[in-house]
């Protein structure tokens, strides 16, 4: 095999695989440390995630969120931007979805109401992300710091709105009134019987179809549109972008806007699909989780679906583990996310020099 | 009610708010100084939060088992230092992305502390509350009792300056030390140089990586102290995500203070005051403005940082080489 | 003889690049030695090895007769070597004093070291006439003064040998004069100076001996008084094996590109283009000759719309662009201009992209390749396959990553992309740089085919023979100025070499210094 081909294999397959395996191995070591047999844990976990239909429902419900935020982080990555503000964008997206519902006529057909709420979520999430994008492109502020600050701003804004402005009258809990039922996205367990299938009740709703559709859309957008092409050139080689007549500033704002819109869709799955009202902290952890999903999925929609499914499985399976072992909770997934980001992101090239030395050493070029 | 008592009440309210400001600023000061070392050397430290949280958990656990706050401090510092070394390994040795690495540590720690807490204490991820020994207690400065009857100054001395624990005093004493190290020692000169132009340092025959490792390690130590303060001095146990964004606020203060020790201290005090103020006015009817929503005040540090970074008020110019791994070979 | 530096058989590779190919060099103590060569000839690498910044793969270094194995700059500094890099190694927000003592602070605390340094720096300043305010911050100093700080830094650390890498590239003529006066003072005190440059005039003006490097190897060692600028220029520029190109006479048509009074100054305030005026007609190749770094890159960037116009105008097919009516690359493309950039990796392609994606860079908004906002990847692949066939790109795999093609095939793909789009005006920078011999002939034929098809071609190259064999007219750039324009039929290497070195320049402040120094 030629050295170039070997290098392509190392970079394209071997390295990412080794990185993910390292993250898994580190998790296994943690299980051993806390006195849990990793194999037993894996079995329990898989049973919890896929062993019964309610579990499956939950698994895919969580997967839906991870797909949205994973796509969000990936689109920004393709433009060379690190969007760490998925948390805030998801939160504000939920607000947009809810406000769309409250502002429209309660008797509006669900066929209009639900698309309107999707639009609201995307608009709000996108607008929230476009501000840091704008500040990066035109004012030179660092997008990472600004998006972090915007996460906190989103959190305080939502607390204020839910406590002071939108709270259900007469209730102590900071949440809004229930949405009218024409703004409820149907549950999968309500739909399946029409196809002669049975499923236990679970929060899984039709947002998952939206997520799959978005994967396709993002793939199509990045690889089949002018704008997507421009985004990828900008992210990979800014000099070539200038040479190619691409307006980088515009691209930064647009990419952030799309990224935020995708993150905002978490609000659809959580609020329109399940809680049916705006509640506090429905978004917690999904924005950061999206970073792990995007890194593991190599920023490709297909990889993101796989990675999101993995984290969805862990999320639901983690809950099952908690029944079995009192010292495990769903936080094990958070640990795993951290490890994935560490090994697939920060330490991405840790094995590279070794692998190259072993498998594709530089041949002497004759002079 | 006489005029005097109202005035007195107001004075006490002010004093108590300022007192709370000092307590709330302490971890910010420590973490911001940690970030200052790291970022002045050119390594972005988003991981302040994670290192502090790990130190919170470590100190609370050790204090629970041993009853010794000093041993707790030592272990917390060690744990935080280890995390700093991971960050260094990823970003200095392997030239990994500094932000990704910091985010990874924050997320990792936020999950790991709960899992370990569950394993060791089975209290939903918390550590048992410390009673008595395991904590750092407040120190009464000499003469505080005697002075309290001296009008104004006496109460100022007793309520504001006296009665904090050792870590508070240490944090504030640290700032002039940092300033001195940064601007009056060889290490400080080289540290500032490596964050501005690592090639200049390298061509002068000084190891860039060595300097950056040392800076990151100092950051680890200081985050360890900050976490210990939060868990076993300010509070008496570890609870889930108890740092509550203090690391990010410290980061904001670092930017707001333009990476200079004294101005960073001011920024920490300002942000600490805003927190203290928000707590005090919660639900209180103020003259003229009425009830101010707490959230608006809480949002001020973040808003200020965004506005500053956008160059609308002054300009925060970061160390020039920040965020860029140093690669020598072409 | 008493040598300050003896390098023997120095060899260094960066991956597959042979940066230094068994290089030998001897420099006499107390002399000024020049090293000339094109960009990428290996001069800077050699000096970095001498300075301990890189380690040679093999070979030996002797300084004042003692053999050394430098593992870092510290050891080279200790051996008496100081270096002034092309890009200054200064900390901008530090004072001059702080910059000078960095790495030689003389103790853990600064106060004492600063005091001692201030004293000895004052002495150095006096001794060598190096005036500079020690308490000024570096970013408040002019480029010329910053360079003095670099020289002070080296001398303060005890340098007996001073290496200067392209020291005049960023200087004004006045500052250059000052620098050369400093050289004279240093030489008088016995300091050995190595001057790396590609400005031949300076070599002639100040050096005692000169070495020429090309493609990593030393190709000549000469006594400066025994040589001439044109001889040096001939040594420097490559002589690639060129095949005979059959050039038919074509009647030049209308003016397609007209450039008037173009001036351009870089961010450091150094003028890079001065009063550039020229026209190119349909069916004509205008060759731009010159030693690299004399304004060619800036010219291409301004013409293609990448860099805004500061002064002057560019007229293309009746449309005029000026500081008020700025061009941009997209607009220029729609005006019928195509651009093959000098640095294909930096600008011309995206290494991570598949060939089919690199093949549409700059044309992704074309109606042929997209339908409104939608791209048509199938058409892109088809286009790429056509390009590959037309230009014999191998392997002809449209899905292969751009980085995995050889240099020649990458270049052919870019040329194909720009040429097959049927432009009226074609800008080409270094068409055969890093291209294997086989592809060179092919590329040359394609360029001539464009000319024969009635296009206006601007060809920038540092290869003189390439310019001579392809151009109808030749324009020589030196230091941002057009030093000559002529018919290619009347040009030869010797006259071009003279123009590239601007040897006929009437006013030459350097001459006086050189002769003045000769008397002492």
């Amino acid at each position: 095999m030629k050295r170039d081909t070997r290098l392509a294999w190392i970079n394209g397959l071997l390295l990412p695989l080794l990185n993910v395996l390292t993250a898994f191995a580190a998790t296994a070591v943690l299980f051993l440390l806390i006195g849990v047999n990793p194999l037993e844990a894996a079995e329990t976990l898989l049973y919890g995630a896929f062993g019964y239909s309610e579990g499956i429902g939950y698994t895919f419900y969580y997967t839906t969120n991870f797909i949205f935020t994973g796509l969000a982080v990936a689109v920004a990555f393709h433009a060379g931007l690190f969007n760490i503000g998925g948390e805030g964008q998801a939160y504000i997206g939920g607000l947009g979805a809810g406000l769309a519902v409250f502002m429209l006529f309660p008797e509006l057909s669900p066929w209009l109401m639900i698309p309107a709420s999707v639009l609201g979520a995307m608009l709000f999430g996108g607008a929230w992300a476009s501000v840091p994008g704008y500040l990066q492109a035109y004012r030179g502020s660092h997008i990472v710091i600004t998006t972090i600050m915007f996460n906190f701003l989103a959190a305080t804004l939502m607390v204020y709105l839910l406590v002071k402005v939108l709270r259900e009258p007469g209730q102590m809990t900071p949440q809004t009134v229930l949405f009218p039922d024409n703004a409820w996205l149907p549950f999968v367990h309500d739909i399946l019987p029409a196809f002669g299938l049975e499923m236990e009740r679970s929060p899984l709703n039709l947002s998952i179809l939206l997520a799959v559709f978005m994967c396709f859309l993002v793939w199509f957008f990045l690889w089949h549109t002018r704008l997507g092409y421009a985004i990828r050139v900008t992210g990979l080689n800014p000099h070539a972008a200038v040479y190619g007549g691409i307006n980088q500033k515009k691209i930064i704002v647009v990419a952030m806007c799309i990224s935020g819109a995708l993150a905002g869709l978490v609000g659809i799955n959580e609020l329109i699909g399940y809680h049916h009202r705006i509640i506090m902290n429905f978004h917690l952890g999904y924005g950061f989780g999206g970073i792990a999903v995007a890194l593991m999925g190599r920023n490709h929609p297909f990889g993101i679906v796989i990675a999101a499914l993995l984290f969805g499985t862990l999320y639901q399976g983690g809950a099952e583990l908690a029944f079995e072992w009192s010292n495990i909770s769903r936080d094990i997934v958070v640990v795993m996310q951290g490890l994935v980001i560490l090994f697939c992101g920060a330490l991405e090239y840790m094995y590279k020099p070794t692998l190259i030395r072993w498998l594709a050493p530089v041949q002497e070029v004759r002079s | 009610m006489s005029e005097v008592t109202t005035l007195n009440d107001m004075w006490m309210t002010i004093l108590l708010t300022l007192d709370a400001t000092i307590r709330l600023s302490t971890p910010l000061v420590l973490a911001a100084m940690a970030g200052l070392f790291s970022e002045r050397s050119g390594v972005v430290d988003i991981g302040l939060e994670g290192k502090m949280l790990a130190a919170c958990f470590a100190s609370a656990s050790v204090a629970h088992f041993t009853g010794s706050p000093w041993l707790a401090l030592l272990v917390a510092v060690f744990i935080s230092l280890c995390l700093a070394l991971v960050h260094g390994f990823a970003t200095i040795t392997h030239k990994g992305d500094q932000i990704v690495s910091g985010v990874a540590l924050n997320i990792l720690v936020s999950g790991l502390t709960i899992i370990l807490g569950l394993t060791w204490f089975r209290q939903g991820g918390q550590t048992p509350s410390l009673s008595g020994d395991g904590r750092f207690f407040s120190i009464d400065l000499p003469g505080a009792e005697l002075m309290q009857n001296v009008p104004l100054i006496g109460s100022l001395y007793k309520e504001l300056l006296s009665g904090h624990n050792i870590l508070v005093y240490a944090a504030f004493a640290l700032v002039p030390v940092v300033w001195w190290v940064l601007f009056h020692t060889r290490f400080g000169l080289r540290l500032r140089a490596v964050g501005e132009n690592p090639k200049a340092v390298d061509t002068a025959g000084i190891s860039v990586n060595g300097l950056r490792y040392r800076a990151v390690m100092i950051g680890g130590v200081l985050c360890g102290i900050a976490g210990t303060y939060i868990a076993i001095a300010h509070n008496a146990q570890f609870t889930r995500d108890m740092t509550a964004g203090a690391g990010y606020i410290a980061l904001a203060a670092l930017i707001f203070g333009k990476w200079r020790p004294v101005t960073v201290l001011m920024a920490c005090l300002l942000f600490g005051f805003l927190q203290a103020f928000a707590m005090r006015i919660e639900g209180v009817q103020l003259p003229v403005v009425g009830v101010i929503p707490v959230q608006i005040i809480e949002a001020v540090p973040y808003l200020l940082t965004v506005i500053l970074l956008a160059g609308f008020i002054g300009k925060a110019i970061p160390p020039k080489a920040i965020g860029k791994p140093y690669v020598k070979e072409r | 003889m008493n040598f300050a530096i003896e390098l023997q058989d120095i060899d260094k590779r960066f991956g597959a690049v042979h940066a230094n190919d068994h290089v030998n060099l001897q420099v006499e103590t107390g002399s000024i030695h020049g090293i000339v060569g094109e960009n990428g000839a290996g001069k800077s690498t050699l000096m970095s090895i001498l300075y301990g910044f890189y380690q040679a793969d093999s070979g030996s270094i002797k300084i004042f007769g003692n053999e050394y194995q430098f593992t870092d700059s510290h050891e080279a500094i200790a051996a008496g070597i100081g270096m002034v890099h092309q890009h200054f190694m200064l900390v901008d927000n530090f004072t001059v004093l702080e910059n000078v003592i960095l790495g030689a602070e003389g103790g853990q605390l600064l106060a004492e070291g600063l005091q001692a340094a201030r004293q000895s720096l004052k002495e150095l300043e006096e001794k060598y006439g190096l005036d500079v305010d020690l308490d000024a911050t570096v970013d408040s100093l002019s480029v010329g003064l910053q360079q003095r700080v670099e020289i002070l830094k080296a001398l303060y650390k005890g340098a007996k040998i001073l290496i200067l890498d392209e020291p005049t590239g960023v200087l004004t003529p006045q500052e250059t004069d000052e620098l050369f006066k400093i050289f004279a003072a240093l030489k008088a005190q016995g300091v050995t100076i190595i001057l790396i440059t590609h400005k031949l005039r300076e070599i002639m003006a100040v050096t005692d001996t000169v070495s020429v490097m090309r493609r990593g190897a030393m190709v000549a060692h000469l006594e400066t008084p025994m040589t001439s600028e044109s001889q040096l220029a001939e040594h420097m520029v490559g002589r690639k094996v060129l095949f005979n190109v059959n050039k038919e006479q074509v009647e030049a048509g209308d003016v397609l590109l007209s450039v008037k009074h173009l001036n351009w100054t870089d961010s450091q305030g150094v003028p890079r283009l001065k009063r550039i005026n020229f026209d190119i007609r349909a069916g004509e190749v205008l060759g731009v000759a010159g030693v690299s770094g004399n304004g060619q890159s800036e010219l291409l960037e301004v013409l293609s719309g990448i860099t805004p116009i500061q002064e002057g105008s560019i007229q293309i097919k009746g449309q005029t662009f000026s500081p008020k009516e700025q061009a941009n690359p997209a607009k220029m493309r729609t005006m019928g201009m195509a651009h093959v950039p000098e640095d294909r990796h930096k600008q011309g392609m995206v290494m991570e992209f598949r060939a089919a994606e690199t093949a549409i860079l700059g044309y992704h908004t074309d109606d042929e390749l997209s339908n409104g906002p939608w791209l048509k990847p199938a058409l892109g692949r088809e286009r790429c396959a056509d390009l590959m066939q037309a230009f014999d790109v191998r392997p002809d795999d449209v899905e292969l990553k751009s980085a995995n093609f050889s240099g020649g095939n990458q270049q052919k793909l870019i040329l194909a992309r720009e040429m097959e789009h049927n432009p009226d005006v074609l800008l080409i920078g270094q068409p055969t740089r890093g291209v294997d011999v086989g592809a060179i002939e092919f590329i040359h034929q394609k360029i001539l085919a464009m000319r024969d098809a009635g296009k206006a071609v601007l060809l920038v190259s540092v290869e003189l023979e390439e310019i001579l064999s392809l151009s109808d007219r030749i324009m020589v750039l030196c230091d941002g100025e057009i030093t000559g324009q002529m018919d290619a039929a009347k040009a030869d290497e010797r006259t071009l070499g003279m123009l590239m070195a601007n040897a006929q320049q009437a006013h030459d402040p350097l001459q006086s210094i050189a002769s003045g120094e000769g008397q002492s």
Side-chain angles (χ1 to χ4, degrees), chain C residues 7-194:
Chain C
L7 299 180
Q8 242 175 25
D9 229 19
I10 297 289
D11 207 72
K12 175 75 179 172
R13 290 168 193 274
F14 292 104
V17 180
H18 206 163
N20 281 164
D21 187 355
H22 300 280
V23 172
N24 292 304
L25 178 69
Q26 288 180 323
V27 180
E28 212 176 312
T29 304
S31 69
I32 302 182
H33 183 91
I35 299 181
V36 291
E38 286 285 355
N39 286 351
K43 303 167 296 194
S44 296
T45 306
L46 185 66
M47 290 303 114
S48 293
I49 288 169
L50 180 55
Y51 187 61
F53 198 65
Y54 299 139
Q55 280 74 51
D57 300 336
S58 66
S60 77
I61 301 173
K62 273 189 194 168
I63 308 296
F64 298 117
N66 303 317
E67 184 146 351
Y68 288 94
Q69 290 272 329
F70 298 138
T71 53
D72 64 31
S73 308
H74 225 114
E75 297 170 17
I77 294 168
I81 299 173
M83 182 144 174
V84 176
H85 292 85
Q86 189 174 2
H87 305 285
F88 302 148
M89 299 295 167
L90 296 172
V91 182
D92 283 346
N93 59 0
F94 276 20
T95 65
V96 172
L97 194 58
E98 286 174 320
N99 264 294
V100 170
I101 67 164
L102 185 67
E105 297 86 347
Q108 290 288 349
L109 301 185
L110 287 183
E112 248 173 79
L114 284 170
Q115 201 52 43
R118 187 182 294 278
Q119 202 50 47
S120 48
L121 281 172
K122 285 258 166 66
E123 286 162 22
L124 285 174
E125 287 197 0
E126 221 140 280
K127 193 166 162 189
Y128 300 108
L130 283 160
D131 272 350
V132 52
D133 178 6
L134 293 179
D135 296 309
T137 54
V138 163
D139 51 16
S140 72
L141 299 178
S142 70
V143 179
L145 286 176
Q146 292 187 12
Q147 191 171 54
R148 287 190 191 180
V149 179
E150 283 282 21
I151 296 174
L152 269 178
K153 220 167 91 177
L155 295 172
Y156 177 72
K157 290 175 185 172
K160 296 279 176 287
I161 299 168
L162 202 58
I163 306 166
L164 295 102
D165 189 359
E166 299 286 358
T168 60
V170 290
L171 300 185
T172 63
Q174 291 76 16
E175 286 173 329
T176 306
D177 283 0
E178 293 288 316
L179 177 67
F180 290 162
K181 278 184 197 151
I182 294 169
F183 280 7
L186 289 167
K187 187 183 166 180
Q189 300 282 342
V191 176
T192 309
I193 295 173
I194 295 188

Side-chain angles (χ1 to χ4, degrees), chain C residues 298-340:
Chain C
E298 290 80 1
L299 180 64
L300 283 177
E301 299 224 324
V302 175
L303 290 183
S304 61
I306 290 173
T307 309
I309 305 169
Q310 291 175 348
E311 258 184 275
S313 67
I314 300 167
Q315 201 174 48
I316 174 167
K317 294 205 295 182
Q319 169 97 22
T320 308
F321 295 101
S322 65
K324 280 184 191 150
E325 179 70 42
Q326 285 292 355
N328 63 49
K331 216 183 269 178
M332 280 306 201
R333 275 194 188 89
T334 57
M335 295 303 301
M337 180 186 274
H339 175 202
V340 178

Side-chain angles (χ1 to χ4, degrees), chain A residues 224 226 229 232 237 242-243, chain C residues 333 339 357 365 370 375:
Chain A
H224 292 256
R226 292 174 176 188
Y229 180 83
R232 289 184 301 124
N237 185 348
V242 177
Y243 164 83
Chain C
R333 275 194 188 89
H339 175 202
E357 291 176 304
T365 51
S370 56
L375 218 54

Side-chain angles (χ1 to χ4, degrees), chain C residues 387-458:
Chain C
L387 297 179
M388 286 176 149
Q389 201 181 11
F391 276 67
D392 190 29
V393 177
R394 290 177 215 174
D396 59 348
D397 177 1
V398 299
E399 300 290 338
L400 192 64
K401 223 168 80 170
S402 308
N404 292 348
F405 288 89
S406 73
N409 283 303
Q410 289 173 343
Q411 186 71 350
K412 282 200 274 186
L413 185 60
I414 293 173
L415 278 161
R417 180 182 73 206
E418 301 301 323
M419 286 180 174
E420 292 295 288
H421 200 256
N422 199 23
D424 296 310
V425 178
L426 183 62
L427 312 177
I428 308 179
Q430 319 295 354
T432 54
R433 179 180 280 173
V435 167
D436 44 300
V437 180
I440 290 177
E441 188 191 4
F442 183 86
I443 291 173
H444 284 173
Q445 276 166 358
K446 284 291 181 184
I447 292 174
L448 286 180
M450 289 301 282
R451 157 190 176 267
D452 295 345
K455 317 294 184 193
V457 180
L458 181 86

